[in-house]
Amino acid sequence: MPRITSIEPGFYRIPLPTVLTDSMHGEMRAFELNTVRIRDSDGAEGVGYTFTVGRNGAAIDTILARELPEIMDGEEADEIERLWHKAWWALHYGGRGGPTVLALSAFDMALWDLKAKRANLPLWKALGGFDAKVPCYAGGIDLDLPLDKLLRQTDDNLGKGFRAIKMKVGRANLFEDVERVKAMREHLGAGFPLMVDANMKWSVDGAIRAARALRPFDLTWLEEPTIPDDPAGHARIVREGGLPIAAGENLRTLWEFKLYVAGGAVTYPEPDVTNCGGVTPFMKIAHLAEAFNLPVTSHGAHDVTVHLLAACPNRSYLEAHGFGLERYIAEPLKIEDGFALAPDRAGHGIDFDWEGLERIRA
């Protein structure tokens, strides 16, 4: 079997064309991209990546450059489950989350890319295959956009083929959130899928109050109403707020998702393949949700996640938000009439512009 011969990290800073804001992260002027290229003894290469909203990318790069090459020296590349556990426990004492699990996510993604390429299969088929057409929504970071610009952004997304929209909430005055959501509902019309995202802004009681105020607008879900460290609080919001709740982009392990799912704290589990440990735990989280009859959604990394949801019978919506990465990918995600299309190229199919990325190396 082919063995791992090299692990090559990359660390880049992608400037954003406009400053983005949400209720908790504040102003975001650039995203950090961490990549990893794994080569095996047959000369094949798999690519993985993760990202941050502007901080800690250097720590991720150090783990990919110093820790994983030593841990994985000479290992068989196809034994992904074993290698995931080896890395998890080798890094566990100083890890369990943060930069460590983001680095592991990128590494695991690269292993799956390599394995699918070796089988000459698109990743979604290598993972079992279900349906290459995945319902998709446009996720905007638009909390501070004036209402007229918010509606113009929405029209632009509709023109790109999106048939579901997510907007930010969590302004200082709840009345302003309600008025903006009301305007968006009137703009989109009855029945159009509309989600809102609070980015952890509220206390539990504040989130319940906000959910009740937003109930008249037929929302598909309210996302991240409070901090991720409070599954019991999320369960209260689910019970008392009257809206479906999406959460999980800030959860880092399968076991954290277990607390949410089994505790009735989430309606739409929302793993991010770049920070939950990679493809391996993402699929376990999706199957955990399936066992509880819950639909799974996603956060970030849509060019990879489209494959994962295309392998899930309980998938709901894919979030499409490239964070400017599409400028450095040969064939970005395709959207047609509300669906993202999982490509049929071998592996995850992402072909990075490495020369272009080199110009923005961090």
Side-chain angles (χ1 to χ4, degrees):
M1 292 180 66
R3 295 185 176 272
I4 295 172
T5 57
S6 70
I7 298 173
E8 178 186 340
F11 179 29
Y12 313 96
R13 191 169 179 85
I14 300 178
L16 296 170
T18 59
V19 177
L20 302 177
T21 58
D22 67 26
S23 64
M24 291 300 281
H25 296 104
E27 290 188 352
M28 292 167 275
R29 300 179 181 275
F31 284 91
E32 293 175 316
L33 172 70
N34 291 89
T35 64
V36 61
R37 303 166 79 173
I38 299 175
R39 298 181 184 90
D40 68 18
S41 53
D42 289 341
E45 179 181 275
V47 175
Y49 74 92
T50 187
F51 69 92
T52 82
V53 297
R55 294 286 185 270
N56 288 336
I60 298 167
D61 184 63
T62 298
I63 293 165
L64 290 170
R66 295 182 58 178
E67 307 293 353
L68 284 172
E70 179 181 340
I71 295 167
M72 297 297 165
D73 183 41
E75 285 285 6
E76 294 184 356
D78 271 350
E79 296 179 358
I80 298 175
E81 187 74 35
R82 184 178 65 80
L83 296 188
W84 192 95
H85 282 272
K86 183 179 183 183
W88 176 260
W89 289 109
L91 299 170
H92 184 269
Y93 190 81
R96 291 196 73 248
T100 300
V101 78
L102 270 69
L104 178 55
S105 299
F107 177 76
D108 182 83
M109 183 191 300
L111 288 178
W112 276 103
D113 183 42
L114 184 60
K115 187 166 189 170
K117 285 176 178 174
R118 189 176 295 113
N120 197 31
L121 288 172
L123 180 57
W124 70 277
K125 288 188 177 179
L127 292 169
F130 181 73
D131 186 352
K133 294 178 64 177
V134 179
C136 186
Y137 73 86
I141 302 180
D142 48 33
L143 182 68
D144 290 331
L145 280 185
L147 182 57
D148 60 335
K149 290 185 178 181
L150 174 65
L151 298 181
R152 285 202 300 272
Q153 173 184 272
T154 297
D155 288 338
D156 182 54
N157 283 326
L158 295 177
K160 294 175 182 177
F162 289 100
R163 298 296 178 265
I165 298 290
K166 187 175 79 177
M167 62 181 287
K168 297 294 187 184
V169 293
R171 294 167 75 91
N173 190 324
L174 178 58
F175 175 79
E176 294 178 6
D177 282 330
V178 172
E179 288 300 298
R180 286 164 67 86
V181 174
K182 178 182 178 182
M184 181 70 87
R185 170 52 70 205
E186 291 173 349
H187 188 73
L188 295 172
F192 190 98
L194 173 62
M195 303 84 160
V196 299
D197 184 356
N199 289 109
M200 309 171 287
K201 176 65 174 180
W202 299 310
S203 67
V204 172
D205 287 334
I208 292 169
R209 176 171 173 258
R212 289 172 176 173
L214 295 170
R215 282 175 61 181
F217 306 113
D218 187 28
L219 299 178
T220 302
W221 69 59
L222 166 60
E223 186 171 328
E224 283 205 306
T226 194
I227 58 172
D229 313 278
D230 188 3
H234 275 84
R236 272 195 63 208
I237 298 167
V238 171
R239 290 194 308 268
E240 300 176 30
L243 287 178
I245 300 299
E249 70 181 72
N250 282 289
L251 302 182
R252 297 292 181 257
T253 72
L254 168 66
W255 302 284
E256 289 179 324
F257 275 94
K258 181 194 72 171
L259 294 176
Y260 269 71
V261 172
V266 64
T267 318
Y268 288 84
E270 183 192 12
D272 183 327
V273 67
T274 69
N275 68 30
C276 74
V279 174
T280 299
F282 185 105
M283 297 307 295
K284 293 177 181 179
I285 292 162
H287 296 321
L288 171 68
E290 182 183 7
F292 280 80
N293 199 27
L294 294 177
V296 67
T297 183
S298 66
H299 174 263
H302 58 232
D303 295 283
V304 175
T305 311
V306 66
H307 286 275
L308 312 189
L309 294 186
C312 294
N314 60 320
R315 84 286 181 77
S316 57
Y317 287 95
L318 170 77
E319 178 180 38
H321 197 311
F323 304 115
L325 192 58
E326 65 276 1
R327 302 195 301 270
Y328 300 96
I329 293 176
E331 297 183 61
L333 183 71
K334 292 182 179 179
I335 308 293
E336 291 184 2
D337 196 28
F339 290 90
L341 307 181
D344 59 6
R345 302 183 296 277
H348 54 50
I350 297 175
D351 183 12
F352 279 115
D353 174 10
W354 295 109
E355 291 185 5
L357 286 174
E358 192 62 33
R359 292 192 287 272
I360 56 169
R361 182 176 285 273

